[in-house]
Amino acid sequence: MNCTITTTGDLTAGPPGDSATEAAEPTEMPVYDVTVVGAGVVGAAIARELARYRLRTALVDASDDIGNGTSKANTAILHTGFDAVPGSLEARLVREGQHRLRAYAAETGIPVERVGALLVAWDEEQLAALPALLAKAERNDYHAARLLDADEVRIREPHLGPGALGALEIPDESIICPWTTPLAYATQAVRAGVHLHLNCRVRHIDSGEDIHTLTTTRGTLRTRHLINAAGLYADELDRELGHDDFTVTPRRGQLLVFDKLARDLVSHILLPVPTAAGKGVLVAPTVFGNVLLGPTAEELDDKTATGSTTDGIALLRDKGRRILPGLLDEEVTAVYAGLRAATGQEDYRIQDHPDRRYIAVGGIRSTGLTASMAIAAHVTELLSGSGLDLGTPSELPPVTMPNLGEAFPRPYQDAGLIAEDPAYGTLVCHCERVSAGEIRDALTGTIPPLTRDGLRRRTRAGNGRCQGFHCGAAVRALFEEARP
């Protein structure tokens, strides 16, 4: 099948056919069997799942890269689903998804660390809530959780602030790379024949009896079945199809990233007792060797408001001072904010409209990374029930992603690899230990970055303590050299 990525120009590339050479005539408008709108972690996972079938499939995104919205700015936790609403769709998909993604990560080189989590109680009311949360975990078929008293908590996390009364331990909560995961999905999809259209914002949709016609910023696209995985904009796309099933209210989460020297201060993901507004402010290690503090939970009207605020940072520092006082003495290397697609509902808003050949995948909140592969399988089952003949699935071409995890061997440490290719021993970004070979590989990959920010997410170059001050010129030169 054909392997196509389009980022500029019009949508004249033909869809993949039944052989490596079959495609539409250059003047013929492509007609896809399925088009997925939104190339975040969920949309990319759906495209990957559909790539297992002999379908003409497109993956469309308004941005210039995979996972460039909510997916790039989350807390990067691989959840167990212990605290989901029992019996909900989210609970089932998170439970299934974490098993699928854990196995997939092991196959493809996505870094995962099973650090465990402690749900820490700081007052008597929170302490009294822990047994109910333990019972909730068991209703969600998670049976490894257990209650810890104050002494056990202190032994496990000696740098905690004073006053912790106890905790609920969730030993299987893990941290994962949020950038490599959607890129791995999309890479497999594209290699299997899915057409990726970036910089392609959907402006309008006309739905006929058999065909959806999408008017985009890069031309017209036609498809028989449509999957809306547009994240923050899923409600707007839903209304284009004549539905009004949910409204997305962006919920901003600001986070602080602390230097790697802070990593020894914390061993677990430190969670607060959750409230109706969300899981609250946490402290968590990252697979890159840093420590996160956040997020805030601010209901907004603006779906582009990803800026950080003085008040938000002050709130995080205040919360962090109680949880892990020593953290506030460490250097902050980055501040960022992400917007979650909140809908006011306690469950995912996955709505199937088989008579319209349309599926809305909305309200996928912070657990979307964990549930992504299970969401993809669920949506594919819904497609099958809507009259689309999927045929027999086939195995996807294997992919091996660059392992960006600090706890895993990196290319600059591999003498054999460097002997074969000295570029892997030539460091460009010294803060993050990123070699020229890694940057070259990213720039020549199946889905190369179109911006230096995209390159950073593929390699960590410029992501360290100096934030690119020392390596910026060298990285820019390599990036510009690789551009056509």
Side-chain angles (χ1 to χ4, degrees):
M1 301 182 79
N2 295 329
C3 178
T4 301
I5 305 174
T6 59
T7 57
T8 58
D10 59 25
L11 300 172
T12 56
D18 294 331
S19 72
T21 58
E22 181 183 349
E25 294 296 325
T27 57
E28 180 184 344
M29 182 185 297
V31 179
Y32 292 104
D33 294 310
V34 188
T35 293
V36 181
V37 178
V41 69
V42 171
I46 294 170
R48 175 193 171 275
E49 183 68 19
L50 293 174
R52 300 174 60 230
Y53 302 90
R54 298 189 70 79
L55 301 169
R56 297 175 174 89
T57 302
L59 177 61
V60 174
D61 199 274
S63 179
D64 60 12
D65 203 1
I66 295 296
N68 206 19
T70 298
S71 298
K72 73 177 181 184
N74 57 41
T75 51
I77 294 174
L78 183 57
H79 296 281
T80 59
F82 77 96
D83 59 346
V85 177
S88 66
L89 179 62
E90 180 180 17
R92 177 171 70 83
L93 296 181
V94 170
R95 185 167 57 248
E96 294 176 6
Q98 66 103 0
H99 292 298
R100 288 174 181 257
L101 182 49
R102 202 178 291 275
Y104 182 73
E107 292 172 5
T108 57
I110 298 169
V112 173
E113 291 183 55
R114 181 181 171 273
V115 295
L118 298 179
L119 198 70
V120 181
W122 296 95
D123 58 41
E124 293 293 343
E125 182 179 358
Q126 293 177 5
L127 185 65
L130 294 184
L133 289 167
L134 174 60
K136 188 178 189 180
E138 291 173 345
R139 291 201 303 276
N140 280 317
D141 201 27
Y142 184 77
H143 302 287
R146 70 186 192 95
L147 296 171
L148 306 180
D149 62 24
D151 291 338
E152 288 179 290
V153 173
R154 182 64 55 186
I155 291 170
R156 290 172 182 269
E157 290 291 350
H159 299 288
L160 271 181
L165 302 180
L168 179 66
E169 181 189 25
I170 313 295
D172 296 299
E173 293 280 298
S174 302
I175 52 177
I176 188 171
C177 179
W179 303 329
T180 312
T181 304
L183 183 62
Y185 294 159
T187 297
Q188 263 192 314
V190 168
R191 288 183 183 177
V194 170
H195 281 196
L196 174 61
H197 300 292
L198 298 174
N199 288 314
C200 187
R201 182 179 296 277
V202 176
R203 296 293 195 191
H204 180 66
I205 303 173
D206 287 311
S207 295
E209 185 176 342
D210 300 311
I211 298 291
H212 300 287
T213 301
L214 281 61
T215 301
T216 80
T217 50
R218 292 187 38 241
T220 301
L221 185 151
R222 302 173 70 212
T223 186
R224 294 183 176 88
H225 293 259
L226 181 63
I227 298 173
N228 171 10
L232 291 167
Y233 299 91
D235 57 339
E236 298 176 26
L237 200 66
D238 195 53
R239 292 187 186 102
E240 277 287 313
L241 275 293
H243 303 286
D244 192 12
D245 292 332
F246 58 93
T247 297
V248 172
T249 300
R251 182 177 293 159
R252 180 167 59 191
Q254 301 183 50
L255 297 105
L256 302 180
V257 183
F258 288 85
D259 186 69
K260 291 177 175 57
L261 293 175
R263 180 62 182 84
D264 289 340
L265 291 175
V266 61
S267 299
H268 301 77
I269 303 163
L270 302 179
L271 300 170
V273 176
T275 67
K279 299 182 187 301
V281 174
L282 58 82
V283 173
T286 75
V287 293
F288 312 121
N290 302 92
V291 177
L292 283 182
L293 172 63
T296 58
E298 308 157 56
E299 302 287 342
L300 304 174
D301 296 323
D302 185 354
K303 294 181 178 181
T304 64
T306 56
S308 299
T309 66
T310 301
D311 288 345
I313 292 172
L315 171 67
L316 293 179
R317 291 184 65 85
D318 183 60
K319 297 284 189 181
R321 188 172 290 108
R322 181 177 191 184
I323 301 167
L324 206 67
L327 188 61
L328 276 298
D329 296 328
E330 301 295 334
E331 295 287 337
V332 173
T333 60
V335 179
Y336 70 93
L339 297 176
R340 289 160 279 176
T343 63
Q345 305 291 323
E346 290 190 333
D347 203 355
Y348 295 160
R349 304 290 289 174
I350 300 179
Q351 306 287 334
D352 182 20
H353 303 277
D355 57 324
R356 300 291 303 278
R357 308 172 316 285
Y358 165 65
I359 300 173
V361 186
I364 311 299
R365 301 169 298 171
S366 57
T367 55
L369 171 60
T370 301
S372 54
M373 297 187 80
I375 292 172
H378 177 65
V379 168
T380 302
E381 288 176 8
L382 294 177
L383 270 176
S384 178
S386 68
L388 178 63
D389 183 8
L390 296 175
T392 303
S394 59
E395 293 296 321
L396 291 171
V399 298
T400 300
M401 305 303 293
N403 194 318
L404 303 185
E406 192 72 5
F408 303 88
R410 300 278 302 286
Y412 78 92
Q413 299 170 312
D414 190 331
L417 183 64
I418 294 169
E420 293 178 6
D421 187 344
Y424 291 112
T426 304
L427 291 184
V428 177
C429 173
H430 287 263
C431 291
E432 296 295 301
R433 303 292 192 269
V434 181
S435 67
E438 292 168 272
I439 293 174
R440 176 203 61 207
D441 292 347
L443 292 170
T444 57
T446 300
I447 306 176
L450 299 180
T451 64
R452 290 197 298 276
D453 193 46
L455 179 61
R456 177 180 61 84
R457 291 194 297 273
R458 286 162 173 79
T459 63
R460 288 174 42 181
N463 204 42
R465 169 176 269 200
C466 82
Q467 290 292 290
F469 180 82
H470 291 288
C471 69
V475 171
R476 185 182 306 111
L478 291 170
F479 181 81
E480 296 296 335
E481 182 182 328
R483 298 186 73 175

